Amino acid sequence: MCEPQVLGETARNTAVSWTGGKDCNLALLAAWRDPSLRVSALVCFRPDGALFRAHPIALMEAQTAVLGLPLLHVTIRAPDYKAAYVAGMRRLREEHGILVMATGDMDLVGSMSRNWIEECGEGAGIAAFLPLWHADRAGCLSQLLAESFAVRFSCVKSPWFDASWVGRTIDEGTF
């Protein structure tokens, strides 16, 4: 994944919404390989003072150090989460020149009617890059293995997995 990025003449400055997980890693790979995009940062959208329900921040920081990309933090405050996302994305555009936000989102969650990053980005002047949108999940896992990603469970979601899965490596026998 650390191969040189071949850029088009009009490559747009791009950040990847980063949780440290497999889906955002695949989104990074897709953005990295797209000559119309120039990946310049990873972005962690995180709640203010609440329990962060993604991979540990220390893990994300270690990943970004290896990748040689900065990890930018956008704090999301209640009660108006959408306004907080839009304001945070607007700051990314103004302070870092971000024009595209890539995400590993695969489908709608909860009561959403469209992709959240796409919707919030419109209000901030940032386009969405959705390389995994409606992708086949098993196909994405196969791609991770084919690309030689070393994927290890660092957290799990019940009731689908229990704590015994933490630390296990994903391989062909996992799925």
Side-chain angles (χ1 to χ4, degrees):
M1 182 142 60
C2 293
E3 63 207 38
Q5 190 171 10
V6 178
L7 301 174
E9 290 181 29
T10 59
R12 296 174 295 162
N13 197 25
T14 302
V16 179
S17 178
W18 198 254
T19 64
K22 63 191 179 326
D23 300 338
C24 64
N25 271 278
L26 273 180
L28 171 61
L29 183 62
W32 190 261
R33 290 178 173 166
D34 187 320
S36 72
L37 306 176
R38 179 182 56 252
V39 178
S40 62
L42 306 176
V43 177
C44 176
F45 294 95
R46 49 189 262 186
D48 184 29
L51 179 63
F52 188 62
R53 297 179 187 244
H55 298 87
I57 298 290
L59 173 66
M60 288 188 245
E61 290 171 344
Q63 290 170 324
T64 59
V66 169
L67 291 166
L69 291 168
L71 180 62
L72 307 175
H73 295 268
V74 175
T75 303
I76 303 301
R77 292 181 175 85
D80 190 344
Y81 292 106
K82 183 175 182 184
Y85 265 85
V86 171
M89 291 175 82
R90 190 173 292 124
R91 278 191 310 279
L92 290 170
R93 183 177 47 90
E94 292 166 358
E95 296 172 14
H96 301 280
I98 302 300
L99 299 176
V100 178
M101 181 68 62
T103 177
D105 293 348
M106 298 178 96
D107 212 337
L108 298 174
V109 177
S111 62
M112 293 170 43
S113 60
R114 58 188 289 222
N115 179 273
W116 183 253
I117 293 296
E118 182 179 45
E119 185 175 334
C120 294
E122 282 180 358
I126 292 179
F129 177 64
L130 309 170
L132 305 184
W133 195 244
H134 297 288
D136 174 67
R137 293 172 192 271
C140 287
L141 287 173
S142 294
Q143 181 184 357
L144 283 166
L145 297 176
E147 297 282 357
S148 299
F149 277 77
V151 182
R152 188 176 305 270
F153 286 91
S154 66
C155 59
V156 294
K157 187 172 183 176
S158 61
W160 297 277
F161 299 95
D162 62 32
S164 70
W165 283 87
V166 174
R168 287 189 193 180
T169 300
I170 293 178
D171 58 26
E172 288 293 338
T174 307
F175 55 98

